[in-house]
Short mmCIF file of all heavy atoms in Angstrom, two decimals:
data_model
loop_
_atom_site.label_atom_id
_atom_site.label_comp_id
_atom_site.label_asym_id
_atom_site.label_seq_id
_atom_site.Cartn_x
_atom_site.Cartn_y
_atom_site.Cartn_z
N THR A 57 -77.08 0.53 90.94
CA THR A 57 -76.29 -0.58 90.42
C THR A 57 -75.47 -0.06 89.24
O THR A 57 -75.98 0.66 88.39
CB THR A 57 -77.20 -1.72 89.94
OG1 THR A 57 -78.07 -2.07 91.03
CG2 THR A 57 -76.38 -2.93 89.53
N TYR A 259 -62.71 0.45 101.18
CA TYR A 259 -62.96 1.05 99.87
C TYR A 259 -61.79 0.75 98.92
O TYR A 259 -61.99 0.28 97.79
CB TYR A 259 -63.14 2.56 100.05
CG TYR A 259 -63.02 3.39 98.80
CD1 TYR A 259 -64.08 3.51 97.91
CD2 TYR A 259 -61.84 4.07 98.50
CE1 TYR A 259 -63.96 4.28 96.77
CE2 TYR A 259 -61.71 4.84 97.36
CZ TYR A 259 -62.77 4.93 96.49
OH TYR A 259 -62.65 5.69 95.35
N VAL A 262 -61.65 -2.90 97.68
CA VAL A 262 -62.60 -3.23 96.61
C VAL A 262 -62.09 -2.69 95.28
O VAL A 262 -62.11 -3.38 94.25
CB VAL A 262 -64.01 -2.65 96.91
CG1 VAL A 262 -64.98 -3.07 95.83
CG2 VAL A 262 -64.50 -3.13 98.27
#
Side-chain angles (χ1 to χ4, degrees):
Chain A
T57 306
Y259 164 81
V262 183

